[in-house]
Amino acid sequence: MNRQPDDLLLSIDCGTQSVRAILFDLHGNVVAKSQVRFDDYQVPQPGWLEHDVDGFWQATAQACQGLWQTHSALKPALRGVSVTTQRGTIMPVDANGQALYPAIIWLDQRNATRLPKISAPWRAAFRAVGASDTIRYFQREADANWLAEFRPDVWQKTHKFLLLSGLLNHRLTGRFVDSIGSQVGYIPFDFKRQRWAAGWDWKWQAMAMEPRHLPELYPVGSQLGQITRQAAQATGIPEGLPVMAAAADKACEVLGSGCLGPEMGGLSYGTTATININSSQYLEALPLVPPYPAALPHHFSCEVQIFRGYWMVRWFKEQFGHNEMLAAEQTGILPEALFDEMVATVPPGSMGLMLQPYWSPGIRHPGPDAKGAIVGFGDIHTRAHLYRAILEGLAYALRDGRERIEKKTRTPMKELRVSGGGSQSDAAMQLTADIFNLPACRPHTYETSGLGAAIDSAVGLGLYGDFDAAIRAMTRVERVFEPIAAHAGLYDQLYNRVYKHMYERLAPLYSEIQSITGYPKRD
């Protein structure tokens, strides 16, 4: 395809809090954006989280239509559309793609109790490598197993078992197709070979799923199909426009931040906080936790995640930030600016207040009994100290992830690219640079996940010859936060002498809490 100066790419970015339809030019600039927020999640039982499946599609169509209300003249410049979404949200649908049950969101905590039986040779192999608990965790968390156990009527009718990306790609193209780069969840996917698991793979024994339940997968950057007449009527996207395969939101953030190799760490300060690198090799930062597909074809996104991440910041604002939120509403100032002022009143290290951000348990590290912890309270501490301690605790945890990744790659990171809502906070950026003792770079656009999807489209459509060229043209750094030596030295001591020992010291107490209270639940 010949590149024209006015060529535009449409990215549909469906996250946990909103869906955004974003038009990018070939220099990575946001030309137009329309956003629809989600405030209609359902909680049928404590710990469950669902959303209406059609609601996701309706919000997507509304966001797209919102673009054309003010930018309809841009439609002729569109060259392709791609989808990037939240990870691990699933939905069973019938042969027409209609929902049989609400979407089960990635934050949902329901568990299967009647687990499919795995053959003796596989069980012996898992025992030999100490993975038995991890496999049982996988089986309990697999939503397909929960549906088969507790809603067999739904499971018997299920034609396809889709991730959110698969649903949106089906609604756009009329085909049950999805990108290899979007496959993140408790599904029978071979993360090493980046394809559906082979017939002999243990995953088919571990969950109540058959190959017929799965969509056809396409490589990142390839064409999934075209916009159907029905999709065009719903969204306003021109009929026949190519729909290109992108990747999951975290992988697209890494690409959209300009990260190509292991020397560049991609931090995502989103609902889940992560540190990632793009790697051409299969590397497990945590044993038996696979790297996910990257937004680069045939690459892996080696990742360590803090499950609740910047959800903790939102939690703080809801519980303790009423004054700032009200002041922001009354004055028109962004709330983040007022919270940055709060952070600035507290010295680095929060005067000894240390937070371990394990508000949700993990698979391998932290373990299934893990809980959050705040230690070092004194009468001098205020909510401002707590807020800064949250930001510092998240950065400490991600620094731990950095060390795990570097141990695998044997390549030290030289700089950080920081995305997500938290990247808009100057205070968060500076303390990140200080805690990592590395330059922390803010990309030129906040919309890095949408930009990563647009880069996949640009290369797949031939608008750029390769990913190197596309990344050079479409990504850049807006501002660099250099570490402050005195702060970096203080944080280094707190990290090495205090933070790194918190989990191992507190883990036995977490186990006792679990045995007494029954929370979090386990077998």
Side-chain angles (χ1 to χ4, degrees):
M1 180 180 293
N2 293 325
R3 188 163 69 241
Q4 302 297 322
D6 62 346
D7 285 344
L8 296 176
L9 299 165
L10 173 60
S11 292
I12 295 173
D13 184 353
C14 189
T16 306
Q17 300 180 49
S18 69
V19 59
R20 299 184 296 282
I22 312 169
L23 290 176
F24 289 95
D25 66 20
L26 294 186
H27 300 288
N29 299 310
V30 175
V31 176
K33 179 173 75 171
S34 174
Q35 183 172 18
V36 176
R37 296 192 178 277
F38 300 132
D39 57 3
D40 53 351
Y41 286 101
Q42 295 96 43
V43 185
Q45 295 185 29
W48 292 21
L49 192 64
E50 299 177 350
H51 194 277
D52 177 62
V53 171
D54 287 331
F56 278 127
W57 170 243
Q58 290 162 9
T60 297
Q62 182 183 345
C64 291
Q65 292 286 6
L67 281 176
W68 318 130
Q69 290 176 8
T70 52
H71 296 86
S72 60
L74 297 178
K75 282 189 182 183
L78 279 175
R79 296 295 173 261
V81 58
S82 53
V83 168
T84 181
T85 69
Q86 56 179 277
R87 309 181 303 186
T89 289
I90 64 92
M91 51 214 70
V93 300
D94 64 17
N96 296 315
Q98 298 304 306
L100 297 171
Y101 192 82
I104 301 177
I105 306 304
W106 63 274
L107 287 164
D108 189 280
Q109 297 175 34
R110 74 189 75 187
N111 287 312
T113 59
R114 191 174 65 242
L115 305 182
K117 190 174 179 60
I118 297 177
S119 65
W122 277 116
R123 293 201 309 272
F126 295 140
R127 281 196 302 270
V129 296
S132 297
D133 288 344
T134 300
I135 302 305
R136 283 193 293 271
Y137 182 95
F138 176 96
Q139 289 187 280
R140 290 195 302 270
E141 292 291 322
D143 296 309
N145 288 345
W146 184 90
L147 285 166
E149 179 179 357
F150 293 102
R151 291 302 306 268
D153 56 323
V154 171
W155 190 244
Q156 289 171 6
K157 298 176 184 176
T158 297
H159 176 67
K160 295 295 181 185
F161 187 73
L162 302 177
L163 295 168
L164 178 55
S165 54
L167 174 88
L168 296 184
N169 282 320
H170 175 264
R171 294 292 173 94
L172 292 171
T173 67
R175 306 177 65 212
F176 287 115
V177 292
D178 203 4
S179 171
I180 287 173
S182 296
Q183 303 313 300
V184 181
Y186 296 100
I187 50 178
F189 186 73
D190 185 333
F191 289 94
K192 189 169 186 177
R193 296 172 179 82
Q194 296 192 348
R195 64 191 186 196
W196 293 128
W200 50 262
D201 196 294
W202 62 269
K203 295 184 185 73
W204 294 110
Q205 300 177 29
M207 58 178 61
M209 197 179 296
E210 301 174 21
R212 64 182 176 85
H213 289 126
L214 301 171
E216 186 177 357
L217 298 183
Y218 284 76
V220 167
S222 60
Q223 184 170 333
L224 297 173
Q226 297 178 331
I227 295 293
T228 65
R229 180 174 300 176
Q230 185 177 5
Q233 291 172 347
T235 64
I237 303 171
E239 182 181 354
L241 193 74
V243 179
M244 309 301 292
D249 54 4
K250 296 294 185 185
C252 282
E253 280 187 10
V254 177
L255 183 64
S257 297
C259 298
L260 267 177
E263 72 285 347
M264 193 175 293
L267 266 62
S268 174
Y269 280 154
T271 304
T272 292
T274 60
I275 180 167
N276 300 63
I277 60 161
N278 277 324
S279 172
S280 60
Q281 295 180 298
Y282 179 91
L283 300 169
E284 296 178 353
L286 296 172
L288 303 178
V289 179
Y292 301 131
L296 285 169
H298 314 299
H299 280 66
F300 303 91
S301 185
C302 188
E303 173 182 297
V304 174
Q305 64 177 262
I306 311 303
F307 192 62
R308 285 288 177 172
Y310 260 68
W311 171 92
M312 296 177 63
V313 172
R314 189 175 70 209
W315 166 83
F316 177 89
K317 292 176 179 179
E318 291 174 351
Q319 300 300 321
F320 305 107
H322 302 294
N323 292 341
E324 286 74 20
M325 298 299 286
L326 181 60
E329 184 177 340
Q330 292 174 344
T331 62
I333 298 173
L334 289 174
E336 287 73 19
L338 297 179
F339 283 103
D340 272 7
E341 291 179 7
M342 180 189 295
V343 174
T345 66
V346 176
S350 302
M351 300 186 77
L353 198 62
M354 299 283 292
L355 181 140
Q356 179 186 266
Y358 297 151
W359 258 236
S360 291
I363 304 174
R364 302 287 293 184
H365 181 83
D369 297 328
K371 291 181 176 293
I374 309 173
V375 301
F377 271 112
D379 59 1
I380 58 172
H381 290 121
T382 66
R383 65 192 183 99
H385 292 84
L386 175 59
Y387 185 62
R388 185 175 185 112
I390 289 173
L391 299 180
E392 291 174 340
L394 289 170
Y396 286 139
L398 292 173
R399 174 173 165 173
D400 178 77
R402 165 201 172 185
E403 292 176 355
R404 293 174 185 274
I405 291 172
E406 288 179 336
K407 185 176 179 180
K408 289 292 184 180
T409 64
R410 300 180 181 178
T411 302
M413 295 184 191
K414 297 180 180 178
E415 70 175 63
L416 306 172
R417 298 286 177 92
V418 188
S419 301
S423 68
Q424 301 310 292
S425 163
D426 287 356
M429 293 293 294
Q430 185 60 58
L431 68 84
T432 298
D434 294 341
I435 288 174
F436 279 77
N437 198 20
L438 287 174
C441 306
R442 178 186 288 156
H444 76 281
T445 177
Y446 164 79
E447 300 290 356
T448 50
S449 52
L451 179 54
I455 291 171
D456 284 334
S457 286
V459 178
L461 291 166
L463 299 173
Y464 285 104
D466 53 40
F467 279 91
D468 284 340
I471 290 171
R472 284 196 304 272
M474 298 179 73
T475 70
R476 54 196 172 275
V477 170
E478 176 189 78
R479 181 176 173 185
V480 179
F481 294 78
E482 296 286 351
I484 299 170
H487 298 175
L490 172 69
Y491 281 129
D492 193 64
Q493 291 189 66
L494 288 171
Y495 173 75
N496 283 300
R497 294 168 58 183
V498 182
Y499 181 84
K500 289 181 73 172
H501 302 288
M502 285 178 68
Y503 180 67
E504 64 186 67
R505 301 280 179 87
L506 292 170
L509 298 181
Y510 295 151
S511 183
E512 292 295 334
I513 291 172
Q514 193 283 330
S515 67
I516 295 168
T517 66
Y519 181 82
K521 294 180 180 179
R522 65 181 180 184
D523 287 347

